Amino acid sequence: MTNNWFLPALILVPFIAGFACWLVDKIDQHLPRYIALAGMLVTLVITIALWQSGTYTYELGAPTPTWSAEFMVPWIQTLGINIHLAVDGLSLLMVGLTALLGVLAVGCSWGEIQKNVGFFHLNLLWSLGGVIGVFLAIDMFMFFFFWEMMLVPIYFLIALWGHSGANGKSRVYAATKFFIYTQVAGLIMLIGILGLVIYGYLMTQTISFSYNHLLAVANALDANAQTATIAYGFMICLFIGFAVKLPVFPLHGWLPDAHAQAPTAGSVDLAGILIKTAAYGLLRFVIPFFPVASAQFADIAIIFGLIGIFYGAWCAFQQTDMKRLLAYTSISHMGFVLLAIYAGNILTFQGLMIMMLAHGLSSAALFIMCGQVYERLHTRDLRLMGGLRSQFQYLPFFLMFFVSALVGIPGLGNFIGEFLILMGSFGKFPAFTILAAVSLVFAGLYGLILIHKALFGAPNEEQKQHYTSPLKDLNAREVVILLICAFGLLWLGLYPQTFLDVSNSSMAWLANSYIPVQEVVDATQQVVSQQNVEIQ
């Protein structure tokens, strides 16, 4: 194996750039912005170079994923811990999304953040570096390290630069709530990881956190009828760790508050990138590690996902705060993630890939637009808006475009992702799929409510006193940021094959590791039911 230094560079560049932002803050308040932007652009260029140089093929029947590039350096050898990074089609696209949204997050905070600019960009870039580490680390200790590390910068982003609520305490409350939820979930996930390591030692007399080693250990536990209950328990531990971050109903309590109080760049980080790490974890670890247990748990997981779809949509109807409305739409859309993962075939996995990319772009763009509206109107309350269509030239167009993308208009990326998921899952779960399809009507309704309250009607008389006269339309920087998101969504919607080709090898391996086991579980259930009939 030849070490590819691009992989550690993807993590180190945001870390080093963030630290440099903090150091130069006293010299010039504007310099940290340029350093942060340069750091994320370099990260994006490295990702594109990996895309161009890598080969993404699938070896039929391979026991482990086929990595396009790897980097491994021994670290704590006594405990079997290595700095082991690897990239395949799944992780490459997630890293690319992180780098692109990182550039946009720096851009949208250009005028918003005016205090402690260097420390702000330190936290923003370190959270992005931690997320990239999650996508690249395949040593489970390194994965858990990055998983926990990225929480601290996001806590500071919300607590220090978030929007003040009642008595100025809401942002600290929201940050603390986010941290407690995710920290507790991380500790539960750690129980599952350490349980696998201990069982691996009992089986092989070797302590190792290696992905391939723990994959073999988990598969052995999962396939053995005597240890299947233990495997199921470990699977639940990992599932809870990822479900809180996704978030899955009823573990979603941190999300609306965190979104509502976070600065714009923090919301882009949370909605566009952070919740994607949970879907990635379910795909990378839960499904291939515990295919039998996952197949047994599929109905329960999908039911929770469907409850989340309708609950998120219903709560979105009730919101008057623009940001909270969008936060609940994220909960609703993440229900499709569980349906896609546990339906477990190549169509749903590929649809999930497109949906994660499209949702990342559309939700990030909408949260950026929330910041732009707030900057001009000094409110996010939809009851105090109205008539914006007649007061701006560019802003109404972009708001309607991205709301259309979020609700799944054909021709944009979200539609392709949802269509592939529904088409792929119908054969396995027809009733659940029909219910999920019905929920798309609700998505259209809350999208129309948002557009109607913000753009149409007469301007609110109470709010007019806060307006600058006349209201300033989007400037060139803001238009460029939104155009990048719009172009990405059009590319995903009109030519998704570009991305499907890259992720196909990873998704084919995942589907191959999951589908045969589902067939075995189905056959076992049929035999048991036949025996029960004969006994009766």
Side-chain angles (χ1 to χ4, degrees), residues 331-348:
I331 295 172
S332 183
H333 280 86
M334 289 307 106
F336 279 91
V337 171
L338 289 180
L339 177 63
I341 289 173
Y342 285 94
N345 58 61
I346 187 70
L347 264 182
T348 59

PDB file of all heavy atoms in Angstrom, residues 331-348:
ATOM      1  N   ILE A 331     -35.690  17.494   9.641  1.00  0.00           N
ATOM      2  CA  ILE A 331     -36.128  16.292  10.351  1.00  0.00           C
ATOM      3  C   ILE A 331     -37.019  15.456   9.437  1.00  0.00           C
ATOM      4  O   ILE A 331     -36.900  14.226   9.367  1.00  0.00           O
ATOM      5  CB  ILE A 331     -36.886  16.683  11.641  1.00  0.00           C
ATOM      6  CG1 ILE A 331     -35.944  17.391  12.616  1.00  0.00           C
ATOM      7  CG2 ILE A 331     -37.502  15.439  12.296  1.00  0.00           C
ATOM      8  CD1 ILE A 331     -36.645  17.975  13.833  1.00  0.00           C
ATOM      9  N   SER A 332     -37.907  16.120   8.710  1.00  0.00           N
ATOM     10  CA  SER A 332     -38.816  15.416   7.807  1.00  0.00           C
ATOM     11  C   SER A 332     -38.056  14.697   6.695  1.00  0.00           C
ATOM     12  O   SER A 332     -38.309  13.523   6.416  1.00  0.00           O
ATOM     13  CB  SER A 332     -39.818  16.418   7.212  1.00  0.00           C
ATOM     14  OG  SER A 332     -40.744  15.758   6.381  1.00  0.00           O
ATOM     15  N   HIS A 333     -37.104  15.388   6.084  1.00  0.00           N
ATOM     16  CA  HIS A 333     -36.369  14.785   4.973  1.00  0.00           C
ATOM     17  C   HIS A 333     -35.477  13.629   5.418  1.00  0.00           C
ATOM     18  O   HIS A 333     -35.219  12.706   4.645  1.00  0.00           O
ATOM     19  CB  HIS A 333     -35.525  15.840   4.267  1.00  0.00           C
ATOM     20  CG  HIS A 333     -36.315  16.686   3.304  1.00  0.00           C
ATOM     21  ND1 HIS A 333     -36.998  17.808   3.691  1.00  0.00           N
ATOM     22  CD2 HIS A 333     -36.548  16.540   1.976  1.00  0.00           C
ATOM     23  CE1 HIS A 333     -37.612  18.335   2.651  1.00  0.00           C
ATOM     24  NE2 HIS A 333     -37.363  17.592   1.604  1.00  0.00           N
ATOM     25  N   MET A 334     -34.994  13.684   6.654  1.00  0.00           N
ATOM     26  CA  MET A 334     -34.096  12.615   7.103  1.00  0.00           C
ATOM     27  C   MET A 334     -34.827  11.298   7.313  1.00  0.00           C
ATOM     28  O   MET A 334     -34.198  10.245   7.424  1.00  0.00           O
ATOM     29  CB  MET A 334     -33.378  13.038   8.393  1.00  0.00           C
ATOM     30  CG  MET A 334     -32.334  14.129   8.186  1.00  0.00           C
ATOM     31  SD  MET A 334     -31.101  13.749   6.899  1.00  0.00           S
ATOM     32  CE  MET A 334     -31.626  14.805   5.564  1.00  0.00           C
ATOM     33  N   GLY A 335     -36.163  11.319   7.369  1.00  0.00           N
ATOM     34  CA  GLY A 335     -36.910  10.063   7.411  1.00  0.00           C
ATOM     35  C   GLY A 335     -36.683   9.233   6.162  1.00  0.00           C
ATOM     36  O   GLY A 335     -36.660   7.991   6.212  1.00  0.00           O
ATOM     37  N   PHE A 336     -36.502   9.913   5.020  1.00  0.00           N
ATOM     38  CA  PHE A 336     -36.203   9.199   3.775  1.00  0.00           C
ATOM     39  C   PHE A 336     -34.869   8.474   3.856  1.00  0.00           C
ATOM     40  O   PHE A 336     -34.665   7.454   3.194  1.00  0.00           O
ATOM     41  CB  PHE A 336     -36.184  10.184   2.597  1.00  0.00           C
ATOM     42  CG  PHE A 336     -37.542  10.531   2.075  1.00  0.00           C
ATOM     43  CD1 PHE A 336     -38.239  11.620   2.573  1.00  0.00           C
ATOM     44  CD2 PHE A 336     -38.140   9.765   1.090  1.00  0.00           C
ATOM     45  CE1 PHE A 336     -39.501  11.941   2.096  1.00  0.00           C
ATOM     46  CE2 PHE A 336     -39.400  10.069   0.601  1.00  0.00           C
ATOM     47  CZ  PHE A 336     -40.085  11.156   1.108  1.00  0.00           C
ATOM     48  N   VAL A 337     -33.942   9.017   4.650  1.00  0.00           N
ATOM     49  CA  VAL A 337     -32.624   8.389   4.789  1.00  0.00           C
ATOM     50  C   VAL A 337     -32.763   6.986   5.371  1.00  0.00           C
ATOM     51  O   VAL A 337     -32.156   6.022   4.880  1.00  0.00           O
ATOM     52  CB  VAL A 337     -31.704   9.259   5.665  1.00  0.00           C
ATOM     53  CG1 VAL A 337     -30.409   8.522   5.999  1.00  0.00           C
ATOM     54  CG2 VAL A 337     -31.398  10.584   4.968  1.00  0.00           C
ATOM     55  N   LEU A 338     -33.582   6.842   6.422  1.00  0.00           N
ATOM     56  CA  LEU A 338     -33.764   5.520   7.041  1.00  0.00           C
ATOM     57  C   LEU A 338     -34.457   4.553   6.087  1.00  0.00           C
ATOM     58  O   LEU A 338     -34.100   3.368   6.019  1.00  0.00           O
ATOM     59  CB  LEU A 338     -34.565   5.649   8.333  1.00  0.00           C
ATOM     60  CG  LEU A 338     -33.844   6.318   9.509  1.00  0.00           C
ATOM     61  CD1 LEU A 338     -34.754   6.382  10.718  1.00  0.00           C
ATOM     62  CD2 LEU A 338     -32.564   5.582   9.851  1.00  0.00           C
ATOM     63  N   LEU A 339     -35.447   5.044   5.347  1.00  0.00           N
ATOM     64  CA  LEU A 339     -36.116   4.188   4.365  1.00  0.00           C
ATOM     65  C   LEU A 339     -35.116   3.696   3.326  1.00  0.00           C
ATOM     66  O   LEU A 339     -35.098   2.507   2.983  1.00  0.00           O
ATOM     67  CB  LEU A 339     -37.252   4.963   3.680  1.00  0.00           C
ATOM     68  CG  LEU A 339     -38.021   4.222   2.570  1.00  0.00           C
ATOM     69  CD1 LEU A 339     -38.732   2.996   3.139  1.00  0.00           C
ATOM     70  CD2 LEU A 339     -39.032   5.152   1.901  1.00  0.00           C
ATOM     71  N   ALA A 340     -34.253   4.587   2.849  1.00  0.00           N
ATOM     72  CA  ALA A 340     -33.267   4.218   1.830  1.00  0.00           C
ATOM     73  C   ALA A 340     -32.258   3.215   2.369  1.00  0.00           C
ATOM     74  O   ALA A 340     -31.925   2.228   1.698  1.00  0.00           O
ATOM     75  CB  ALA A 340     -32.548   5.475   1.332  1.00  0.00           C
ATOM     76  N   ILE A 341     -31.774   3.451   3.587  1.00  0.00           N
ATOM     77  CA  ILE A 341     -30.715   2.588   4.136  1.00  0.00           C
ATOM     78  C   ILE A 341     -31.244   1.189   4.408  1.00  0.00           C
ATOM     79  O   ILE A 341     -30.600   0.187   4.060  1.00  0.00           O
ATOM     80  CB  ILE A 341     -30.142   3.223   5.425  1.00  0.00           C
ATOM     81  CG1 ILE A 341     -29.316   4.465   5.072  1.00  0.00           C
ATOM     82  CG2 ILE A 341     -29.280   2.213   6.192  1.00  0.00           C
ATOM     83  CD1 ILE A 341     -28.853   5.257   6.278  1.00  0.00           C
ATOM     84  N   TYR A 342     -32.427   1.082   5.011  1.00  0.00           N
ATOM     85  CA  TYR A 342     -32.902  -0.234   5.438  1.00  0.00           C
ATOM     86  C   TYR A 342     -33.664  -0.972   4.345  1.00  0.00           C
ATOM     87  O   TYR A 342     -33.907  -2.176   4.475  1.00  0.00           O
ATOM     88  CB  TYR A 342     -33.728  -0.104   6.714  1.00  0.00           C
ATOM     89  CG  TYR A 342     -32.839   0.130   7.912  1.00  0.00           C
ATOM     90  CD1 TYR A 342     -32.554   1.422   8.364  1.00  0.00           C
ATOM     91  CD2 TYR A 342     -32.221  -0.935   8.548  1.00  0.00           C
ATOM     92  CE1 TYR A 342     -31.710   1.632   9.431  1.00  0.00           C
ATOM     93  CE2 TYR A 342     -31.377  -0.731   9.630  1.00  0.00           C
ATOM     94  CZ  TYR A 342     -31.119   0.549  10.062  1.00  0.00           C
ATOM     95  OH  TYR A 342     -30.269   0.755  11.130  1.00  0.00           O
ATOM     96  N   ALA A 343     -34.038  -0.275   3.253  1.00  0.00           N
ATOM     97  CA  ALA A 343     -34.520  -1.016   2.081  1.00  0.00           C
ATOM     98  C   ALA A 343     -33.354  -1.783   1.471  1.00  0.00           C
ATOM     99  O   ALA A 343     -33.516  -2.891   0.959  1.00  0.00           O
ATOM    100  CB  ALA A 343     -35.142  -0.067   1.070  1.00  0.00           C
ATOM    101  N   GLY A 344     -32.174  -1.172   1.512  1.00  0.00           N
ATOM    102  CA  GLY A 344     -30.924  -1.894   1.318  1.00  0.00           C
ATOM    103  C   GLY A 344     -30.652  -2.457  -0.049  1.00  0.00           C
ATOM    104  O   GLY A 344     -30.160  -3.578  -0.157  1.00  0.00           O
ATOM    105  N   ASN A 345     -30.940  -1.724  -1.137  1.00  0.00           N
ATOM    106  CA  ASN A 345     -30.503  -2.185  -2.459  1.00  0.00           C
ATOM    107  C   ASN A 345     -29.791  -1.045  -3.178  1.00  0.00           C
ATOM    108  O   ASN A 345     -29.769   0.095  -2.707  1.00  0.00           O
ATOM    109  CB  ASN A 345     -31.685  -2.720  -3.282  1.00  0.00           C
ATOM    110  CG  ASN A 345     -32.785  -1.692  -3.479  1.00  0.00           C
ATOM    111  OD1 ASN A 345     -32.560  -0.640  -4.066  1.00  0.00           O
ATOM    112  ND2 ASN A 345     -33.985  -1.987  -2.964  1.00  0.00           N
ATOM    113  N   ILE A 346     -29.213  -1.362  -4.314  1.00  0.00           N
ATOM    114  CA  ILE A 346     -28.357  -0.397  -4.995  1.00  0.00           C
ATOM    115  C   ILE A 346     -29.128   0.864  -5.397  1.00  0.00           C
ATOM    116  O   ILE A 346     -28.593   1.972  -5.353  1.00  0.00           O
ATOM    117  CB  ILE A 346     -27.675  -1.059  -6.224  1.00  0.00           C
ATOM    118  CG1 ILE A 346     -26.635  -0.126  -6.862  1.00  0.00           C
ATOM    119  CG2 ILE A 346     -28.699  -1.512  -7.247  1.00  0.00           C
ATOM    120  CD1 ILE A 346     -25.421   0.101  -6.052  1.00  0.00           C
ATOM    121  N   LEU A 347     -30.405   0.726  -5.763  1.00  0.00           N
ATOM    122  CA  LEU A 347     -31.192   1.895  -6.164  1.00  0.00           C
ATOM    123  C   LEU A 347     -31.388   2.860  -4.989  1.00  0.00           C
ATOM    124  O   LEU A 347     -31.220   4.079  -5.144  1.00  0.00           O
ATOM    125  CB  LEU A 347     -32.559   1.450  -6.693  1.00  0.00           C
ATOM    126  CG  LEU A 347     -32.735   1.301  -8.201  1.00  0.00           C
ATOM    127  CD1 LEU A 347     -34.176   0.910  -8.516  1.00  0.00           C
ATOM    128  CD2 LEU A 347     -32.365   2.573  -8.931  1.00  0.00           C
ATOM    129  N   THR A 348     -31.766   2.328  -3.840  1.00  0.00           N
ATOM    130  CA  THR A 348     -32.012   3.215  -2.696  1.00  0.00           C
ATOM    131  C   THR A 348     -30.710   3.830  -2.190  1.00  0.00           C
ATOM    132  O   THR A 348     -30.685   4.996  -1.797  1.00  0.00           O
ATOM    133  CB  THR A 348     -32.709   2.466  -1.545  1.00  0.00           C
ATOM    134  OG1 THR A 348     -31.897   1.375  -1.112  1.00  0.00           O
ATOM    135  CG2 THR A 348     -34.064   1.946  -1.967  1.00  0.00           C
TER     136      THR A 348
END
